[in-house]
């Protein structure tokens, strides 16, 4: 719906340019009408997207300890970042041989 709204804005812009160049204001009024229709499609698209993201965000519960890293895991995280790989969970057992 949002893409349709964007396309309608472009149509409205073309109609506006034609209306400004031409001797008649019919195209200007058509541009205003198409802009209002575009607004309706934009609002519908926003409401649809809002409905999609709200349940997904509510269903995800934060896991205890997620995002925490001990000092023993820091060298492995730096190494993964240097290689450009995604930051995975630290290996079991602490991951560091600091002993």
């Amino acid at each position: 719906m949002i893409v349709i709204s964007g396309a309608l804005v472009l149509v409205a812009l073309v109609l506006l340019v034609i209306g400004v160049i031409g001797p008649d204001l019919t195209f200007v009024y058509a541009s205003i009408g198409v802009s209002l229709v575009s607004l309706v499609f934009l609002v519908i698209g926003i409401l649809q997207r809002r409905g999609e993201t709200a349940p997904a965000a509510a269903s995800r519960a934060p896991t205890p300890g997620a995002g925490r890293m001990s000092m023993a895991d820091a060298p492995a995280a730096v190494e993964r970042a240097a290689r450009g790989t995604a930051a995975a969970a630290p290996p079991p057992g602490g991951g560091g041989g600091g002993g």
Side-chain angles (χ1 to χ4, degrees):
M1 288 290 185
I2 294 177
V3 175
I4 294 171
S5 176
L8 287 173
V9 166
L10 293 177
V11 170
L13 182 64
V14 169
L15 288 174
L16 183 64
V17 169
I18 292 172
V20 168
I21 293 173
D24 196 4
L25 291 179
T26 306
F27 286 105
V28 174
Y29 293 134
S31 172
I32 293 170
V34 171
S35 296
L36 292 176
V37 172
S38 172
L39 174 68
V40 170
F41 275 99
L42 181 63
V43 168
I44 292 171
I46 289 171
L47 292 176
Q48 283 180 343
R49 285 201 178 186
R50 184 175 293 171
E52 288 176 3
T53 57
S59 66
R60 278 187 272 143
T63 56
R68 294 185 188 159
M69 183 183 346
S70 69
M71 290 305 290
D73 298 329
V78 170
E79 188 176 314
R80 282 192 302 269
R83 286 186 301 206
T85 58

